[in-house]
Amino acid sequence: MKLHSTQKRRKSELKGTLSQLLSRATMETEKTQTAAVQTDDRDLSEQIKKATKESHTRAENTEMMLSFQRGQVTLAQYKLLLCSLYEIYQALEEALDRNSNHPAVAPIYFPTELARLKAIEKDLEFFYGRDWREKIVVPDATKRYSHRLRQIGEENPQFLVAHAYTRYLGDLSGGQVLGRIAQKSMGLKNGDGLSFFAFPGVSSPNLFKQLYRSRMNSVELTEQERNDVLQEAVQAFEFNIQVFDGLQKMLSVAEKQQQDYSPNSKSVSARSIQLPQPNFSLVRKVLGLVVALVTISMGIYVVATPNTSYQRPTV
């Protein structure tokens, strides 16, 4: 009996010890998870992701981006998009190159892996020919976006972090998928005209994005500078939305003009020159007057003109 009670007591103590250990382990796990969440919340990349969530969704639902997602992107859409991307990346990469040694820019400066300008130039030459620079057309929204990039490159280089993150990681994340969609939709072969979507300097997009976010999170900013960068990231998405909408409006106007000037369009027929219907009553009156005048004139002429063929008979 005494042995049985001793064993029972030891089992009870063991259960208590195990319960305490499990409780401590649970608490430690919760602390670790909480610390991890807090670390993520302080990461600049996570903060930008949260701050731009709504704008990101709106950008994805613009008519132009939906055309890509549905596999219905047209050649006209893509060519105009390339023109705007050229202007945007020219401004962005010039600003990044100029500020490559800035403490906020240096950690996220990857020209070999990410630079897009040369690739876009190659695509534009494929579609427009060697004189493609003379054929570039962009909406006002693209000009405003490019102006903003040049402005912050001179006045607030730390804001370039927001724009580089928005553009490069967005293109790197969706580039492969969108490239395949564009190729299929437009019937392009051998990658011609699709250099923009190719990142030959990045062997693993997922690993590179992790590296980029890590570098981005290492940028030292004051609290005010961090808040300003977050606001700039939201503004970057707004610029992109305005560009997409501006491009779609340009396409709509071009399509309408093409319909208006098409010889088979109803609008041209409606604007065709309408000849006035003749007033037959007035015509009859005028003709009658003309005939009368001609008749009177002929009568006067006959009376007034001697008959030279008449010979007086000899007596």
Side-chain angles (χ1 to χ4, degrees):
M1 291 289 294
K2 187 179 286 189
L3 179 63
H4 179 70
S5 99
T6 302
Q7 290 176 342
K8 190 174 181 180
R9 188 175 65 255
R10 286 180 178 177
K11 285 182 180 181
S12 178
E13 291 174 352
L14 182 60
K15 285 181 179 181
T17 303
L18 287 173
S19 178
Q20 289 177 0
L21 289 173
L22 287 172
S23 179
R24 288 178 183 176
T26 301
M27 290 175 64
E28 290 297 328
T29 301
E30 289 177 350
K31 287 180 180 179
T32 303
Q33 290 176 345
T34 301
V37 171
Q38 289 175 347
T39 301
D40 288 342
D41 287 344
R42 288 195 299 269
D43 286 346
L44 183 59
S45 61
E46 287 298 317
Q47 289 179 336
I48 288 180
K49 185 177 180 180
K50 290 180 180 179
T52 60
K53 184 177 180 180
E54 188 269 339
S55 298
H56 194 170
T57 301
R58 286 175 48 228
E60 289 179 336
N61 285 280
T62 57
E63 191 171 348
M64 178 159 285
M65 287 298 99
L66 287 175
S67 295
F68 267 97
Q69 295 170 33
R70 294 167 182 162
Q72 299 171 347
V73 61
T74 65
L75 184 59
Q77 282 179 317
Y78 183 57
K79 287 169 67 176
L80 274 182
L81 176 60
L82 282 175
C83 290
S84 281
L85 289 175
Y86 172 76
E87 295 288 339
I88 292 166
Y89 274 106
Q90 184 180 45
L92 176 60
E93 293 182 359
E94 284 177 357
L96 288 171
D97 291 343
R98 192 183 313 114
N99 293 281
S100 59
N101 293 322
H102 188 278
V105 175
I108 52 98
Y109 184 63
F110 291 93
T112 303
E113 292 82 2
L114 297 178
R116 298 289 83 204
L117 195 59
K118 295 297 181 183
I120 298 171
E121 290 177 352
K122 183 178 179 181
D123 291 339
L124 287 170
E125 183 172 347
F126 173 77
F127 288 116
Y128 290 102
R130 293 183 178 180
D131 58 343
W132 59 267
R133 284 183 173 84
E134 301 172 9
K135 300 176 182 178
I136 286 182
V137 180
V138 298
D140 290 338
T142 300
K143 297 175 183 178
R144 291 194 296 270
Y145 191 2
S146 301
H147 174 74
R148 178 58 178 169
L149 289 169
R150 291 188 173 93
Q151 181 185 34
I152 63 176
E154 295 175 359
E155 300 174 5
N156 303 100
Q158 68 272 17
F159 290 177
L160 291 170
V161 174
H163 291 275
Y165 171 86
T166 302
R167 285 258 38 117
Y168 287 127
L169 260 64
D171 294 332
L172 189 59
S173 297
Q176 304 300 314
V177 175
L178 293 179
R180 287 194 293 270
I181 291 174
Q183 183 175 21
K184 185 177 180 180
S185 298
M186 296 180 289
L188 299 173
K189 298 179 180 179
N190 304 320
D192 292 334
L194 300 169
S195 299
F196 170 71
F197 297 109
F199 288 82
V202 179
S203 57
S204 173
N206 288 332
L207 290 177
F208 184 83
K209 284 188 290 185
Q210 291 178 14
L211 170 64
Y212 192 93
R213 291 191 181 98
S214 176
R215 291 284 193 89
M216 185 176 170
N217 295 335
S218 71
V219 174
E220 295 184 3
L221 299 169
T222 66
E223 194 64 27
Q224 183 60 52
E225 287 175 337
R226 181 175 288 256
N227 290 333
D228 291 342
V229 168
L230 294 179
Q231 291 180 9
E232 191 68 25
V234 174
Q235 189 61 35
F237 270 98
E238 292 300 319
F239 274 123
N240 280 283
I241 291 170
Q242 292 170 16
V243 169
F244 295 150
D245 289 343
L247 290 171
Q248 201 59 45
K249 287 179 182 178
M250 286 180 64
L251 286 167
S252 299
V253 170
E255 289 172 0
K256 186 177 185 303
Q257 288 177 344
Q258 186 176 8
Q259 291 173 359
D260 287 346
Y261 290 102
S262 171
N264 298 322
S265 68
K266 294 181 180 179
S267 55
V268 171
S269 299
R271 294 204 314 270
S272 298
I273 297 174
Q274 299 294 327
L275 294 174
Q277 296 296 325
N279 188 330
F280 291 106
S281 177
L282 179 62
V283 170
R284 283 195 296 270
K285 290 179 181 180
V286 172
L287 287 175
L289 180 60
V290 171
V291 171
L293 290 171
V294 171
T295 302
I296 295 170
S297 299
M298 289 180 67
I300 294 172
Y301 176 79
V302 170
V303 172
T305 304
N307 190 345
T308 57
S309 64
Y310 175 75
Q311 295 181 358
R312 179 181 294 179
T314 56
V315 178

